[in-house]
Amino acid sequence: MQPAIVGSSSFGILWTNTYNAKERWYAKPLVYTPPGQKQLVFTASNMNIIRTVDAVTGAPIKDRQVQPPFLQSDIGCTDMPNYIGIAGTPIIDPATDTVYFFAKGYKNNAASGGVANGIYKFYAVNIRDLTDRPGFPILIDGHNADNDPARYFIGGTVLQRPSLALVNGIVYGTFGGHCDLFNYTGMIAGVSTTAGKGVTSLYAMEASPYAPDVVSDIMVQKGGKAGIWMSGMAPATDGSRIFVVTGNGMGHENRDTPASGRHPLSTLDEVVANFDVSSGSNIKLQDYFEPYEYIGMDAGDRDLGSGGVALLDPAVFKGTNGVSRLGVTIGKNGKAYIMNADNLGGFKLGPGATDNLVQTIIADNAVFGGAGSYPLEGGYIYFTPVGSATIAYKLGLDQNGGPLFTKVGQTADVSAGRVGVGVPTITSYKGQAGTGILWVTDVDAGLKAYKAVPQNGVLVRINIPPTGGLNKFQRPAFGDGRLYVTDSKGRLLCLGSPVSLPLNCTSPLDFGDVTFGSAKTLQTFQVSNSSLPKGSLAAGDTFQFPVTWNLTKEGVKDDAGASFGAVSPGVKTSSLVISTTNAVAQYSNSLPITLQGNEISSAPFLSVSPAEVDFGGIVVGSPGAATGLDSSFILANIGASPLKILGYGYTSGDFDDDDDADGGAGFTNVTQQGQNMIIGNGFTSSDLPAVGSILAAGQSLTVPINFKSTKVGNYQNLFQVWTNGGNKNVLFTGSATTAPIAELAVETVEHGWNVNGVMDFGDVVAGTVVTRRIRLCNKGGSALLITKSKPPIDAELRAENPTSDLHEGQSIPIGECAYGPVDIAAAPEAANVASHDVSNVWILNTDDLTFGVHDVEIKATIVSRQLGPKYDNGTARYTYLGCYLDIPRQMQKNYNLGQANENGVCQQKCLANGYRFASTEYSIECWCGNNPPNATQFTSFDGINNFDDIKHRINDLVINLDDQSYNLINDRINYHNVDINELHFDFYDRYHFDHRINDYFVNLNNVINYNIQTDNLVNFNNCISQYHLIASTLSIYPVNFKYADDKMTVASCIAYCKGKGTTYAGLEYHRECYCGNTIAPDAVANAQVCVDTCMGNSTEYCGGSNAMNVYKAVTPSSPTTTTSKSSTSSTTSTTSTTSPTSPTATTSKTATSSTPTTSSTLVTTTSPRPSSTLPSPTASATSGFYALGCYAEPPAPTKKPMQQLLSSPDMSVEYCISIAKARLSHWLGVRQGMLGCDKRADKPDKLGGQPGV
């Protein structure tokens, strides 16, 4: 990539490809040219879709989904929304045209299945046609760790985020966690590229004996953690070893005792680890570095492993003191660790039991993604702290030949103030000095480009077309003058210059060395015409013209006619542009040509860089305060004659622009104190060259400096160097502060703040949005860093701005607060429906080591408007049932209330006249009755979202339904006096069920239900469904109709099949619906495997992996019913006998019901129910739950003794148990036939009575 072309008008976006709506790329694109074929771009997405496209045109070549992806909704971690498929960047083996990658999905290629069924497979694919290589894919799950066989790989709990490494025929993939959830251990997996060999090694980052004990429950956080995620960076390798960086962990084997990195360590949390992979079989730990403050880093979620290791080019990045290979890592704690790659440093082996490193660099914020490097022009490294400028450090040597990096520049702009900025990437044109470009991918600003070598302390921006925000942790992929990136909107973009250029020119034009006081002219600059049509320049013509670089004047003013007038020694670049007029539109009309050369001074010339060394802040009293903060600056002779150091001085007084020329006026000479030289107030150097030292032509020295203070305050000193090659200054700045102190509070209903409370919204009316805020304040003396933030993103409870408020990496200044608004966005509901609770947590942590992980609990109760007569607690007596066709007439009594009619008024009228049911019709009519409506006349109407104005809304509804429908409300008190099994199913909760579900769950007649546990037919009197659950894992065959929908619910599938007129409706894989008239003869009922919740309603089950929840349409039959009226009060008698050896039950009921004016006794007779096996205390079918008997509930409106989990017409004991276990309940009850499922933490009080549980 040529800087002149990249910065020209000919460089732009060549093409953009968009694919599936929710498809995103966390794996970076790869560019590859198969032998004999055109160049292609390979992508692998979160939906497990791999693609190849033409690199020049973007035209599709091949695509394939290797398996259904894992669903983000199964884990709760919001780092990667929607789907988690291929996240780690694949790797291509050019020797075999094979691309390798890991893909996350479910067992048996299912489309869903929960954490327990999540798996990882390793794929080897022919990149030419995307077919699997023989012997692949390979399942990783189930393999045991070589270093601790008690630990084994569970794909559902881990994430393969880093890019892959290929070493000696083995592909190495590394694994971390999902938001540190679940029982996971960080691991490295080695898989052979040879078919049949499979997994060659599995190494656990936390192992016995010092790791937490192995537990079998995958949902608890007991695996030890120490995940490897590195913001997507690959393990670094130099051929026989790989380097990885780990995050927070739980096993602290080293505790506080210094240890050699060569000694075994079983708990590799917060470490840089070097593994020997030369054998091609077992992975072996051979060296490590662990920061001395690693336990505090664990406590503050300051992952060392938020960035990977950069192994620097050993031809450039080395010392003359025996350090021949350098590695760099930087993470959430904002420290860049410069390590000897051959001796990483162990634990606390440095001075004063600190880190034994080549150098530590302090950044001003957390870094995600690691460091980039540029080996030309002296050697540079770069990194980008969150919300800060990208910083450049240049390599130098101290007086002993030790490598030291010095900050020499930074960008004028800053990065996004949130996590996601990618690893700095540096390119050059054919390895030539002066052509380096620094590329940075930003989640907000998009792709940015800079000149790789700073000019006067600034990384100069190169203007390129805006791309928009890119996906997090990306980096560009390059090929033949083009680059490729993916953005946050799901697009693949190609940038470059047009392929058809009007001229073929030799570029760059290199002047070589040019000495001050001279000029150089090149007259051999050749340009050949290759493709222009006939015109002023004939095809094949060549021409030349002189280009002169004029350095005859040593001033800094631009010289007329000179190509570059800022005169100072070093490599300089510029460009000229040849403009053309073309007859063909697709050719570029401008051609930039790079000019470069090296300016030489014949006299000595002093260079001091950077102009300022800012140490940032030191926290007084912290562990690091004892040793202070380290940095450096560079003294260099960039002239052609020897440079002599004449002296040094410093001042803390006023500074002016002429201080470089002072030569000592107003400065204090440096003095020695012990082993150090005092170079300012609070600043010392342990290796300042002595006065009289000589720097040879081209020689440079890196001077180490240290800032340390025990007194709070701001410090600054101007340090000056006096030589025979000029005088130069460098400004030292630093501050000493106290530690940050985090104070967390939640906003109360009165808009005050509670520092210890739960964010309890209380009751929130359906159809409204209520917002409150979480506040995080910094009460300390230094900036507070948010190190972990996992906001809630549920449908009705979510952070208002989950990616920008209280985000990871956010810095809160001293005395300021940051806020995270939380919305309760209650979905619209009809009036007088049951309330439902919503709850979640916002997980937060900071670098205040006394703060710890906080799970901010957030909860609310969604309530509908309560109309009509009410209980003392404000709850309406009438419950909304839905909209019914009034054919034939459903209610018995009509009151024409005129324009004053509304639901509440009508309910009051019906109650006053002793009616259980109230309904409205024709806007002005109020109908009352004591008999329930005909279930077959229930009407689904999707258009009702707001029932505030019954006069207009319901009138509209009536018109839409041909004036033949009404809304039905029933009286709760009198309704409960009716036999529970007969009527209670009419109630429903819109939070758990779509309102359309009443279309199929209001049958008042007998149906045949299938007992899941015993496979026996059971006749339930007055049951609830025309379509009802008859079995799990049955299959419908043949399938007459089918469809899939991301909003699938039980009701929508049943509605679809009912519309098709089929007998059976089956649901599978979260989102698939099948309809047919027969059950496959080999189908076997097994409720254990139907564990997939519906995508449209997470409280319902929609089958499983190759398993189907099947519902059957049953023709209604009338039960035998005898009703007589009397004036007696209501009584209920129930007898139930249960035998321990033959657990069958027989029940008979007599119920009476009374109203204010009449009373009635309802006796219901049905055919006897076949006996079924009830769960025993040890029965595996009920997972440890056993029957205690029937317990009474208090009459309304007294609060029920158990919390309702689910109300469903598909309710069974087994279904209720499964829901209760998921909610961690110890007690549960099934009530009102087979409808309600309740829970509580302790045992209920009484036995007997109706209604009962």
Side-chain angles (χ1 to χ4, degrees):
M1 306 294 288
Q2 295 190 53
I5 293 179
V6 171
S8 72
S9 59
S10 66
F11 188 86
I13 298 176
L14 301 181
W15 51 262
T16 301
N17 287 357
T18 303
Y19 301 101
N20 297 307
K22 295 182 179 180
E23 190 171 13
R24 297 294 183 269
W25 291 268
Y26 301 101
K28 303 165 187 69
L30 299 174
V31 180
Y32 181 64
T33 306
Q37 293 189 3
K38 57 188 176 182
Q39 192 171 80
L40 56 82
V41 179
F42 174 86
T43 62
S45 78
N46 65 330
M47 296 179 70
N48 280 333
I49 298 174
I50 56 176
R51 289 187 177 86
T52 53
V53 300
D54 187 294
V56 176
T57 66
I61 300 174
K62 294 285 184 180
D63 65 81
R64 169 193 172 201
Q65 186 177 45
V66 297
Q67 64 176 342
F70 190 87
L71 301 177
Q72 176 268 331
S73 58
D74 278 348
I75 59 171
C77 175
T78 59
D79 285 347
M80 292 183 177
N82 301 315
Y83 303 105
I84 303 171
I86 303 168
T89 303
I91 193 165
I92 299 171
D93 183 1
T96 61
D97 288 341
T98 302
V99 58
Y100 300 96
F101 54 88
F102 291 86
K104 184 163 185 170
Y106 295 98
K107 297 176 182 177
N108 302 318
N109 280 347
S112 60
V115 175
N117 290 309
I119 61 168
Y120 262 103
K121 290 181 182 179
F122 176 77
Y123 285 82
V125 171
N126 184 337
I127 200 169
R128 293 172 181 262
D129 59 12
L130 302 187
T131 58
D132 291 330
R133 294 295 189 187
F136 295 90
I138 293 169
L139 180 65
I140 308 300
D141 286 68
H143 287 85
N144 297 82
D146 301 332
N147 58 323
D148 190 350
R151 301 175 192 275
Y152 54 93
F153 189 93
I154 304 174
T157 65
V158 295
L159 173 66
Q160 200 285 300
R161 185 65 178 92
S163 306
L164 306 185
L166 174 60
V167 182
N168 300 325
I170 307 294
V171 175
Y172 293 96
T174 53
F175 295 82
H178 293 286
C179 295
D180 278 342
L181 302 173
F182 311 118
N183 181 7
Y184 85 92
T185 305
M187 288 188 174
I188 304 175
V191 187
S192 176
T193 59
T194 302
K197 288 191 175 181
V199 177
T200 61
S201 186
L202 193 68
Y203 196 98
M205 298 299 104
E206 297 275 325
S208 298
Y210 292 97
D213 293 337
V214 175
V215 296
S216 59
D217 187 347
I218 65 172
M219 304 305 290
V220 300
Q221 297 181 30
K222 298 292 185 181
K225 303 184 180 182
I228 307 170
W229 69 285
M230 302 190 300
S231 296
M233 286 185 70
T237 180
D238 57 5
S240 62
R241 54 186 180 170
I242 60 173
F243 294 78
V244 301
V245 192
T246 64
N248 301 329
M250 302 172 68
H252 300 154
E253 178 180 349
N254 279 334
R255 302 295 176 184
D256 200 36
T257 304
S260 169
R262 302 291 180 176
H263 291 170
L265 181 67
S266 63
T267 57
L268 297 175
D269 48 294
E270 308 285 18
V271 304
V272 178
N274 168 3
F275 292 96
D276 178 13
V277 294
S278 58
S279 68
S281 54
N282 285 1
I283 301 168
K284 297 178 181 178
L285 177 68
Q286 60 182 7
D287 193 12
Y288 71 87
F289 159 67
E290 187 168 47
Y292 71 88
E293 72 269 43
Y294 81 100
I295 294 179
M297 292 167 64
D298 276 346
D301 279 304
R302 307 203 72 179
D303 286 16
L304 180 63
S306 67
V309 176
L311 284 181
L312 306 181
D313 185 345
V316 175
F317 296 96
K318 60 182 178 180
T320 59
N321 63 342
V323 178
S324 60
R325 190 70 189 262
L326 293 175
V328 182
T329 192
I330 182 168
K332 279 189 187 180
N333 66 346
K335 287 186 177 181
Y337 298 101
I338 314 298
M339 302 165 288
N340 181 348
D342 298 321
N343 183 12
L344 291 177
F347 175 63
K348 297 187 74 171
L349 297 182
T354 56
D355 297 328
N356 180 28
L357 297 168
V358 173
Q359 185 180 0
T360 302
I361 299 173
I362 308 298
D364 59 1
N365 210 337
V367 175
F368 294 76
S373 65
Y374 176 53
L376 302 179
E377 304 180 63
Y380 295 81
I381 61 172
Y382 312 81
F383 52 81
T384 308
V386 174
S388 300
T390 297
I391 305 169
Y393 281 77
K394 186 175 182 180
L395 176 69
L397 300 177
D398 63 21
Q399 292 191 90
N400 299 315
L404 278 178
F405 287 91
T406 299
K407 179 181 176 181
V408 292
Q410 65 183 49
T411 59
D413 56 327
V414 298
S415 69
R418 57 190 179 100
V419 172
V421 176
V423 181
T425 304
I426 299 85
T427 61
S428 66
Y429 182 69
K430 298 182 179 179
Q432 297 176 3
T435 64
I437 301 177
L438 166 67
W439 304 88
V440 177
T441 59
D442 194 289
V443 289
D444 289 338
L447 183 64
K448 300 187 289 186
Y450 307 87
K451 292 183 178 180
V453 176
Q455 297 178 9
N456 299 319
V458 177
L459 290 164
V460 178
R461 184 82 176 258
I462 300 174
N463 291 324
I464 60 175
T467 61
L470 301 180
N471 214 358
K472 59 184 180 180
F473 308 132
Q474 289 298 298
R475 56 152 290 179
F478 300 89
D480 291 348
R482 292 175 295 272
L483 65 84
Y484 308 86
V485 291
T486 59
D487 70 6
S488 57
K489 298 178 181 178
R491 301 184 302 170
L492 173 65
L493 296 87
C494 172
L495 285 79
S497 61
V499 175
S500 299
L501 296 173
L503 302 171
N504 290 331
C505 301
T506 302
S507 179
L509 179 61
D510 192 350
F511 285 81
D513 294 339
V514 181
T515 305
F516 289 169
S518 67
K520 191 169 186 179
T521 301
L522 297 181
Q523 293 181 320
T524 57
F525 183 55
Q526 301 289 324
V527 178
S528 62
N529 182 342
S530 61
S531 57
L532 286 177
K534 292 182 179 181
S536 299
L537 190 63
D541 284 351
T542 63
F543 65 93
Q544 65 182 30
F545 57 89
V547 179
T548 301
W549 195 359
N550 189 347
L551 298 177
T552 56
K553 297 180 180 180
E554 292 190 24
V556 295
K557 295 175 64 177
D558 289 346
D559 185 63
S563 59
F564 198 93
V567 179
S568 62
V571 174
K572 298 295 186 296
T573 62
S574 186
S575 63
L576 62 85
V577 176
I578 301 176
S579 299
T580 62
T581 300
N582 308 319
V584 182
Q586 66 262 32
Y587 287 87
S588 172
N589 57 11
S590 64
L591 178 67
I593 300 172
T594 300
L595 308 176
Q596 65 185 43
N598 187 27
E599 296 174 344
I600 301 295
S601 171
S602 58
F605 198 107
L606 174 65
S607 171
V608 176
S609 60
E612 179 181 349
V613 177
D614 184 5
F615 286 85
I618 189 170
V619 178
V620 176
S622 68
T627 56
L629 300 174
D630 293 322
S631 190
S632 63
F633 65 94
I634 297 174
L635 295 176
N637 177 11
I638 56 177
S641 300
L643 181 143
K644 183 177 182 178
I645 296 176
L646 303 177
Y648 307 101
Y650 65 88
T651 180
S652 58
D654 294 334
F655 312 137
D656 59 56
D657 294 337
D658 296 326
D659 281 333
D660 279 353
D662 281 348
F667 283 79
T668 300
N669 290 326
V670 300
T671 57
Q672 187 161 353
Q673 185 180 63
Q675 300 296 317
N676 298 320
M677 299 295 291
I678 298 176
I679 59 175
N681 181 19
F683 304 96
T684 61
S685 174
S686 61
D687 196 16
L688 187 69
V691 173
S693 298
I694 302 295
L695 294 182
Q699 182 183 0
S700 66
L701 289 176
T702 299
V703 180
I705 50 179
N706 178 271
F707 168 62
K708 181 167 57 175
S709 178
T710 58
K711 184 179 179 180
V712 173
N714 294 319
Y715 298 79
Q716 60 178 3
N717 285 268
L718 188 70
F719 180 77
Q720 191 168 81
V721 184
W722 307 314
T723 75
N724 65 340
N727 305 328
K728 295 292 182 181
N729 296 324
V730 56
L731 179 64
F732 302 147
T733 60
S735 66
T737 64
T738 56
I741 299 174
E743 181 187 84
L744 184 67
V746 297
E747 191 173 12
T748 65
V749 67
E750 299 86 6
H751 302 295
W753 296 97
N754 187 343
V755 296
N756 296 311
V758 173
M759 181 176 277
D760 189 351
F761 284 79
D763 290 346
V764 177
V765 177
T768 64
V769 177
V770 179
T771 302
R772 291 192 198 161
R773 296 173 295 168
I774 296 174
R775 185 184 71 184
L776 186 60
C777 295
N778 182 4
K779 301 292 187 179
S782 55
L784 178 71
L785 181 71
I786 298 176
T787 57
K788 174 175 282 189
S789 178
K790 307 300 178 186
I793 55 169
D794 297 338
E796 292 188 296
L797 189 164
R798 62 180 294 115
E800 196 168 89
N801 304 293
T803 62
S804 58
D805 293 334
L806 298 181
H807 61 81
E808 288 183 4
Q810 182 173 346
S811 181
I812 304 175
I814 300 169
E816 295 187 12
C817 300
Y819 299 87
V822 177
D823 293 340
I824 301 296
E829 291 182 340
N832 294 16
V833 299
S835 64
H836 64 272
D837 296 328
V838 294
S839 63
N840 209 322
V841 295
W842 190 323
I843 304 172
L844 288 165
N845 201 355
T846 72
D847 62 347
D848 174 1
L849 299 185
T850 65
F851 186 72
V853 177
H854 278 60
D855 292 349
V856 182
E857 184 180 355
I858 308 164
K859 62 182 181 180
T861 299
I862 310 300
V863 298
S864 66
R865 290 189 315 113
Q866 302 295 294
L867 304 178
K870 299 180 180 65
Y871 298 117
D872 292 340
N873 64 1
T875 303
R877 288 186 56 167
Y878 283 82
T879 300
Y880 181 72
L881 297 180
C883 184
Y884 290 76
L885 292 173
D886 201 13
I887 305 174
R889 183 68 67 188
Q890 302 280 359
M891 296 289 103
Q892 293 76 46
K893 179 65 177 177
N894 175 33
Y895 297 94
N896 191 325
L897 301 181
Q899 296 302 316
N901 188 33
E902 63 170 357
N903 271 337
V905 173
C906 180
Q907 294 164 31
Q908 190 68 53
K909 184 72 172 179
C910 293
L911 179 65
N913 289 279
Y915 292 104
R916 301 188 187 98
F917 296 92
S919 60
T920 54
E921 188 174 4
Y922 291 119
S923 183
I924 62 174
E925 295 180 1
C926 172
W927 287 85
C928 307
N930 284 318
N931 296 326
N934 188 327
T936 61
Q937 301 302 99
F938 179 85
T939 301
S940 171
F941 188 76
D942 293 336
I944 300 178
N945 289 317
N946 189 330
F947 293 82
D948 286 340
D949 189 350
I950 196 67
K951 297 179 183 178
H952 300 291
R953 293 282 181 173
I954 298 306
N955 190 51
D956 289 341
L957 175 63
V958 170
I959 293 172
N960 289 334
L961 298 175
D962 296 326
D963 295 340
Q964 296 297 322
S965 63
Y966 61 86
N967 282 281
L968 181 65
I969 307 293
N970 83 295
D971 175 4
R972 298 184 185 189
I973 291 180
N974 294 321
Y975 186 71
H976 275 295
N977 289 334
V978 181
D979 191 318
I980 278 178
N981 281 330
E982 183 180 28
L983 295 176
H984 192 69
F985 50 80
D986 275 342
F987 287 45
Y988 76 98
D989 179 351
R990 280 174 57 99
Y991 176 65
H992 296 300
F993 293 93
D994 185 277
H995 60 271
R996 292 172 294 176
I997 207 166
N998 276 2
D999 199 6
Y1000 315 112
F1001 285 78
V1002 293
N1003 186 4
L1004 301 176
N1005 300 307
N1006 292 346
V1007 295
I1008 302 299
N1009 201 348
Y1010 197 88
N1011 186 304
I1012 299 174
Q1013 181 183 354
T1014 63
D1015 293 357
N1016 291 326
L1017 290 177
V1018 179
N1019 187 349
F1020 285 0
N1021 63 309
N1022 296 321
C1023 198
I1024 57 178
S1025 171
Q1026 289 178 312
Y1027 281 77
H1028 58 89
L1029 180 67
I1030 63 168
S1032 300
T1033 70
L1034 295 182
S1035 60
I1036 298 170
Y1037 182 81
V1039 174
N1040 300 99
F1041 306 97
K1042 64 180 180 179
Y1043 85 107
D1045 185 5
D1046 287 345
K1047 297 182 180 180
M1048 183 66 68
T1049 65
V1050 172
S1052 60
C1053 179
I1054 289 175
Y1056 176 76
C1057 294
K1058 181 181 180 182
K1060 298 297 183 181
T1062 63
T1063 303
Y1064 296 100
L1067 296 105
E1068 189 173 359
Y1069 293 139
H1070 291 286
R1071 61 187 299 275
E1072 298 175 6
C1073 176
Y1074 298 87
C1075 309
N1077 293 311
T1078 57
I1079 298 295
D1082 57 347
V1084 178
N1086 181 6
Q1088 302 283 333
V1089 297
C1090 279
V1091 296
D1092 292 354
T1093 57
C1094 301
M1095 292 187 70
N1097 188 340
S1098 61
T1099 65
E1100 298 177 341
Y1101 284 120
C1102 283
S1105 175
N1106 296 318
M1108 192 181 290
N1109 285 110
V1110 180
Y1111 294 76
K1112 182 180 181 181
V1114 177
T1115 302
S1117 59
S1118 300
T1120 302
T1121 304
T1122 303
T1123 303
S1124 60
K1125 292 186 177 181
S1126 69
S1127 59
T1128 61
S1129 60
S1130 62
T1131 60
T1132 301
S1133 63
T1134 302
T1135 60
S1136 177
T1137 59
T1138 303
S1139 169
T1141 56
S1142 179
T1144 61
T1146 303
T1147 303
S1148 63
K1149 293 185 179 180
T1150 301
T1152 64
S1153 175
S1154 62
T1155 70
T1157 57
T1158 61
S1159 63
S1160 64
T1161 302
L1162 177 65
V1163 179
T1164 302
T1165 305
T1166 66
S1167 56
R1169 181 183 306 179
S1171 62
S1172 60
T1173 303
L1174 296 177
S1176 66
T1178 59
S1180 60
T1182 53
S1183 305
F1185 284 86
Y1186 58 94
L1188 293 179
C1190 182
Y1191 287 78
E1193 288 183 349
T1198 304
K1199 185 178 179 181
K1200 297 182 183 302
M1202 305 178 80
Q1203 174 189 344
Q1204 181 171 302
L1205 292 178
L1206 184 67
S1207 178
S1208 170
D1210 299 331
M1211 186 57 63
S1212 67
V1213 173
E1214 292 79 5
Y1215 188 11
C1216 184
I1217 287 173
S1218 68
I1219 295 296
K1221 284 178 68 77
R1223 304 291 178 88
L1224 303 179
S1225 304
H1226 299 292
W1227 305 88
L1228 63 92
V1230 180
R1231 65 186 176 92
Q1232 298 172 350
M1234 296 292 284
L1235 177 64
C1237 177
D1238 304 331
K1239 74 166 185 178
R1240 65 178 287 156
D1242 56 350
K1243 187 175 179 180
D1245 298 326
K1246 299 178 180 179
L1247 281 170
Q1250 181 203 5
V1253 178

